[in-house]
Amino acid sequence: MAFFDGVESIHDWSRSQRVGRRCEFSLDHLMASVAIPLLFPPMGIDDEYFGDGAMRQLNPLSPAIHLGAARLLIIGVRARRAAGVTVNRLQPSMPTPGEIFGYMLDTLFTDQIYGDLEQLERINTLVESAPDATRGERHVETLMLAPSVDPREIAARHVGEIPRGLRALLRVIGGREASGSQLASYLIFEAGYTRALIELGYRDAMEARSALVAFMSGARLPAVLTAPGVAQAT
């Protein structure tokens, strides 16, 4: 379910496993959007319960396109090269439950974004090469910024700020060690960690300033992208 609000010309939509419903947003919608399964309670809205949309986020770019977006600026939360269960161990061992849970969250939040971005690039190529053969598809310009520092590294430095009860849970399931910081990176909401993420985002945006300015002004993107539509600060 994708809740939306917009001009009257935008209608509800229905696709395979995806529904768009017009509504007046409330705090419940916001809390439902961050209700990670098993960690935060789902929110009751109109006689139904909703949790984090990543659970059914088959096409995360779809709602913005349905709302009429012609350009999409996408902020990534994980670098492509660092989205898996870490294998940098001194001794080979089975991943802990905390590591596996962190990997599952990473799959929900990250993999589908990159997959949908690649699908959109294929549609753009089709629209450009055979415009008469398409059925209502249109070209959508994209720019995705990926972080230059993996948030797992930052989370590992701030894991001590997590509330005591959550620290105990992470210790039990193996999500507090450096190898389990992938899970911690989704659960830390303390000021030290969030400030570090904001500072990282600002630095990366300044590094990609030329691409951002070109994208916002409608100009051609500079040749600094690491993949179609993806700019990563170095």
Side-chain angles (χ1 to χ4, degrees), residues 58-76:
L58 302 178
N59 300 91
L61 304 182
S62 174
I65 296 174
H66 276 293
L67 291 174
R71 286 174 168 251
L72 298 178
L73 175 61
I74 306 158
I75 310 299

Side-chain angles (χ1 to χ4, degrees), residues 147-151 154 195-206 233:
S148 58
V149 179
D150 196 304
I154 302 175
R195 288 196 185 104
L197 292 181
I198 292 172
E199 292 171 0
L200 172 63
Y202 180 81
R203 292 196 305 270
D204 286 352
M206 291 298 100

